[in-house]
Amino acid sequence: MSVEVAKTAGFCFGVRRAVDMAEHEAARHAGIYAYGEIIHNTHEIRRLAAKGVRTAQEISDIPDGASVLVRAHGVPAGCYDALRAKGCKVLDATCPFVAKIHRIVAEESKGGRKIVIFGSRNHPEVVGIQGWCEGSTVFETPEEVQQAADAGALPADTPVSVVAQTTINRKLWEKSIEILKKQCTNCKIFDTICNATDERQAEARLLAGKSDTMIVIGDKKSSNTKRLYEISKSLCHEVLYIEDAAELPQADREQLSQRHIGITAGASTPAWIIKEVSNMMSEETKIENGEDFAAMLEESFKTLNTGDKVTGTVIQITATDVQVDLGVKHAAYIPLGELSDDPAYKVEEQYKPGDEIEAVVVRVNDGEGTITLSKKRVDQLKGWETIETAKEEHTVVEGTIIEENRGGVVATAFGVRVFIPASQTGIPKDQPMAQLLKTKQSFYITEINRQRKRVVGSIRAVQQEARKAAAEKIWETIEVGQEFKGVVKSLTSYGAFVDIGGVDGMIHISELSWGRIKHPSEVVAIGDEVNVYVIGLDKENKKISLGYKRAEDNPWNIFKANYAVDDVATVKILKFMPFGAFAEIIPGVDGLIHISQIADHRIAKPDEVLTIGQEVEAMIIDINDEKKKVSLSIRAAMNGADDDADED
């Protein structure tokens, strides 16, 4: 007798997750209630009952304040509200794939679309899905869909959204979809059949097609096990549908001895039942690939040790951890703090249920039946190799600054902590290093001590190399008149120093403003971005003179563009001199009103008729473009006004 066991036989990760949660929570809470059967397997329900998991078919059967586990098949949305109203602690073991369907139908129904569900009407999963939407219709076969179409129950213009029970037969689903697409012009299809179901059914087809006898193990209430039986029955002459080893008749065991046997099991069938069937068939049975069947099944009961590197499947992401299926009897969790050292890390952007994840075992609790994992330790193991290579090859490493301490800052790169001394942060002594926190920085690795797990880096070294390369490029191409965008680095009493991309240049105070200023801080501040141009070069001594004020902003040019001799302007008296008064025509351009031009009569001093800050009308009587001087006359403006009055 040769025996070939389907690799997909037994618990899927959604069912294993529910069972693990039931065991774990029952141990923590000294017994819990399950609302509905956790899974469709009577034997497993009995085993869990012995561990303190009591099954309640109605919410009224659950005491107020009890801890309640929601079954893997899911429940209607209203059940959560009802349980919370009783003060119950709700522990949700709904399969992640089923929960996804709940979200889909809730959103689609809210958008005014009619929900069509393809599945078994009375199946708990379908009942649960219906409880998350309004106005749903359930079809079990393509024939039912066709009948509804023929009867006009599906109007062509009705917006319809279609989902499937996760364990439904794909061929029947595809036939139904074809009919719906022809009937409904506004139809959205959501393929929600579980991949594990597809794989299980596909493997059953292959196995049944080459076996003399197929043995299908699972509870008679299990929908997915029934599908496996139907598939096997259509391809294999003899199919045995059993719930446990006791249902395998003695006569059949003797007849099977000369045949090729195929074995598959439903997603709700625990490994210990499959193992019992195997042991009763033969003590010497070998799987086709040469592995001992009992040994393979024993894998699901294997224990792990601290430090073991494992690969598992993400089954749920919660506010506190990531739950992982490792294919063992223990429930495995990665606390959020063990995912990454990066404070900006968002697990929901990196993983989703069904994804594979690598981790290291950090704690095994046999008493609670849990395994604590760490992903960041795997990253650290890989990261050390990357960090060491970066040091050897002098390549730049990018990391995120996560801490500040007295000596400097700490970055995380490839899961490894890198200390960057204050002197190597690139931050001036008078500025806080805290400005680097949560930012990404590039640095070189300057020191590694694997034994002490110490890594030292330098941001400053990267900056210096970058500045040196930029400076060389600038000195090769810089010319008088060339414009740059720079950053003000420091201020002195005589000017401002500006970094123009690796090289510093100076703007003399006289080049900062067309007006009079006492200090550069009146115009610019440290850190300001400024547009400058080169007005002088000394390549031998590496000195650059920069200009900041623009010709188009020159007050004299503005004055010349708007005023001419004989024009009358409103001017403001600025100061007095023995020979007259200075007045501002526009900001930056002053004119002299000679004492003889202040009044139409003789005065000894300007302040006899004028005051500082006073605004008066004055005529421009002369413009000296070479010396940039303007002569004004209040008397001429007054006489001009009188002449105008006489003409009127």
Side-chain angles (χ1 to χ4, degrees):
M1 175 173 59
S2 62
V3 176
E4 186 175 355
V5 180
K7 294 178 181 178
T8 53
F11 282 175
C12 65
F13 79 81
V15 170
R16 181 179 288 110
R17 169 177 171 270
V19 171
D20 288 346
M21 283 182 69
E23 289 185 345
H24 177 65
E25 298 298 338
R28 287 180 60 190
H29 300 284
I32 61 171
Y33 281 84
Y35 178 43
E37 293 182 345
I38 294 295
I39 59 171
H40 275 162
N41 190 282
T42 304
H43 297 287
E44 189 67 6
I45 295 299
R46 288 175 188 160
R47 188 184 72 83
L48 291 172
K51 290 180 173 288
V53 183
R54 289 163 288 207
T55 301
Q57 299 299 340
E58 303 292 337
I59 291 179
S60 58
D61 297 334
I62 301 172
D64 291 353
S67 293
V68 182
L69 192 73
V70 173
R71 64 194 177 200
H73 292 116
V75 297
C79 294
Y80 291 89
D81 295 332
L83 289 169
R84 292 191 181 100
K86 290 170 67 69
C88 296
K89 178 183 179 182
V90 179
L91 308 164
D92 199 347
T94 304
C95 170
F97 292 131
V98 176
K100 179 182 177 181
I101 302 175
H102 292 172
R103 292 193 296 272
I104 290 172
V105 298
E107 290 174 6
E108 295 297 302
S109 179
K110 187 178 180 181
R113 301 182 69 85
K114 181 180 177 63
I115 305 300
V116 170
I117 305 168
F118 192 70
S120 302
R121 282 186 184 81
N122 298 320
H123 192 280
E125 181 183 322
V126 174
V127 173
I129 294 170
Q130 287 184 289
W132 287 83
C133 60
E134 295 183 12
S136 62
T137 300
V138 179
F139 294 118
E140 293 191 347
T141 65
E143 289 73 25
E144 286 187 8
V145 179
Q146 189 62 62
Q147 288 172 9
D150 294 341
L154 295 171
D157 58 348
T158 302
V160 174
S161 295
V162 190
V163 297
Q165 182 181 333
T166 55
T167 55
I168 210 68
N169 183 290
R170 179 163 289 282
K171 285 188 176 180
L172 298 180
W173 159 258
E174 290 173 350
K175 286 181 181 178
S176 300
I177 293 304
E178 285 181 17
I179 299 169
L180 283 167
K181 283 182 176 179
K182 290 178 182 178
Q183 180 64 25
C184 302
T185 57
N186 188 356
C187 186
K188 290 172 69 174
I189 309 298
F190 295 90
D191 186 346
T192 53
I193 298 175
C194 176
N195 289 336
T197 297
D198 275 345
E199 292 171 3
R200 194 184 302 269
Q201 292 179 1
E203 192 175 13
R205 287 189 189 91
L206 291 173
L207 198 51
K210 62 181 178 180
S211 299
D212 299 309
T213 300
M214 275 292 288
I215 298 176
V216 181
I217 310 170
D219 197 288
K220 296 299 191 296
K221 297 192 296 294
S222 170
S223 176
N224 72 84
T225 307
K226 286 179 184 177
R227 302 274 182 250
L228 295 176
Y229 174 70
E230 291 166 0
I231 291 168
S232 299
K233 193 72 176 172
S234 67
L235 295 167
C236 184
H237 177 69
E238 185 175 28
V239 181
L240 302 178
Y241 187 176
I242 62 175
E243 291 194 0
D244 56 26
E247 291 188 5
L248 187 64
Q250 184 66 40
D252 287 336
R253 273 176 253 147
E254 293 172 357
Q255 293 174 9
L256 294 175
S257 61
Q258 302 301 317
R259 300 182 183 182
H260 180 72
I261 312 299
I263 297 178
T264 188
S268 298
T269 306
W272 60 269
I273 290 181
I274 305 174
K275 183 177 178 181
E276 283 183 354
V277 172
S278 167
N279 289 342
M280 287 191 68
M281 287 174 63
S282 172
E283 291 292 331
E284 304 296 327
T285 298
K286 299 288 181 181
I287 298 178
E288 192 175 81
N289 63 9
E291 294 180 21
D292 180 66
F293 182 41
M296 185 195 77
L297 293 172
E298 205 64 57
E299 277 292 300
S300 65
F301 294 96
K302 70 182 178 181
T303 56
L304 294 169
N305 300 309
T306 300
D308 286 352
K309 186 178 176 182
V310 295
T311 300
T313 303
V314 175
I315 55 178
Q316 188 177 26
I317 297 170
T318 72
T320 57
D321 55 41
V322 175
Q323 298 174 11
V324 180
D325 173 26
L326 295 178
V328 298
K329 64 180 180 178
H330 287 62
Y333 304 88
I334 305 177
L336 294 186
E338 288 298 322
L339 285 165
S340 173
D341 279 329
D342 185 349
Y345 184 88
K346 294 182 179 179
V347 62
E348 62 275 8
E349 294 179 0
Q350 305 295 325
Y351 293 96
K352 60 183 182 298
D355 288 349
E356 281 195 348
I357 189 168
E358 286 186 304
V360 168
V361 177
V362 295
R363 184 169 177 265
V364 179
N365 190 324
D366 290 317
E368 292 187 1
T370 60
I371 297 174
T372 304
L373 305 172
S374 172
K375 175 188 169 294
K376 69 181 183 181
R377 296 196 190 185
V378 171
D379 295 338
Q380 288 170 354
L381 293 173
K382 294 178 180 178
W384 273 102
E385 297 177 6
T386 305
I387 291 294
E388 288 174 338
T389 301
K391 182 179 185 300
E392 290 173 9
E393 299 179 357
H394 192 64
T395 55
V396 175
V397 173
E398 187 177 83
T400 302
I401 308 300
I402 59 172
E403 287 179 26
E404 177 192 6
N405 54 43
R406 288 183 179 180
V409 295
V410 177
T412 177
F414 306 105
V416 177
R417 289 168 63 88
V418 180
F419 174 65
I420 300 172
S423 62
Q424 299 302 312
T425 60
I427 301 295
K429 290 181 180 180
D430 58 345
Q431 293 185 35
M433 291 185 293
Q435 63 186 284
L436 292 176
L437 290 176
K438 297 183 180 180
T439 65
K440 288 190 178 296
Q441 296 291 330
S442 296
F443 45 85
Y444 282 119
I445 303 301
T446 57
E447 180 186 334
I448 294 178
N449 188 322
R450 188 81 179 255
Q451 199 169 17
R452 294 178 57 196
K453 294 184 178 180
R454 176 179 168 83
V455 181
V456 180
S458 172
I459 296 172
R460 185 178 170 218
V462 174
Q463 293 175 341
Q464 286 178 332
E465 279 198 6
R467 282 182 61 84
K468 183 179 179 182
E472 289 175 357
K473 186 175 180 180
I474 286 176
W475 282 113
E476 287 174 6
T477 59
I478 195 166
E479 294 177 355
V480 172
Q482 194 170 354
E483 296 193 0
F484 292 93
K485 179 172 282 188
V487 177
V488 177
K489 304 299 289 185
S490 63
L491 302 177
T492 67
S493 60
Y494 52 84
F497 285 90
V498 177
D499 179 358
I500 58 173
V503 175
D504 286 351
M506 190 193 78
I507 309 172
H508 191 270
I509 190 169
S510 63
E511 290 295 329
L512 279 168
S513 174
W514 289 104
R516 301 180 186 87
I517 59 171
K518 294 181 179 179
H519 193 272
S521 59
E522 295 177 39
V523 180
V524 294
I526 293 174
D528 282 356
E529 283 193 357
V530 292
N531 293 314
V532 295
Y533 55 95
V534 179
I535 59 174
L537 280 174
D538 182 350
K539 291 189 176 183
E540 186 177 342
N541 294 307
K542 301 294 183 185
K543 290 183 178 181
I544 301 172
S545 297
L546 300 173
Y548 178 69
K549 59 186 183 181
R550 303 281 165 170
E552 58 267 27
D553 298 327
N554 187 336
W556 183 259
N557 294 338
I558 296 172
F559 166 73
K560 287 291 298 295
N562 292 280
Y563 294 94
V565 173
D566 294 336
D567 285 351
V568 175
T570 300
V571 301
K572 183 165 78 173
I573 305 302
L574 297 178
K575 64 179 179 179
F576 298 135
M577 301 295 288
F579 51 81
F582 283 98
E584 181 185 72
I585 306 169
I586 64 171
V589 177
D590 300 342
L592 172 64
I593 311 172
H594 192 271
I595 193 168
S596 64
Q597 300 298 318
I598 291 177
D600 58 0
H601 58 278
R602 185 177 181 82
I603 60 173
K605 294 188 294 184
D607 59 4
E608 290 180 15
V609 294
L610 298 174
T611 58
I612 300 297
Q614 179 183 357
E615 289 189 350
V616 296
E617 296 291 312
M619 179 181 288
I620 299 170
I621 58 175
D622 184 57
I623 298 174
N624 188 325
D625 203 26
E626 186 179 345
K627 296 182 178 180
K628 293 183 175 50
K629 291 184 177 181
V630 181
S631 296
L632 300 171
S633 173
I634 298 175
R635 189 174 73 175
M638 293 169 59
N639 292 336
D642 291 341
D643 292 341
D644 291 340
D646 291 341
E647 290 177 7
D648 290 341

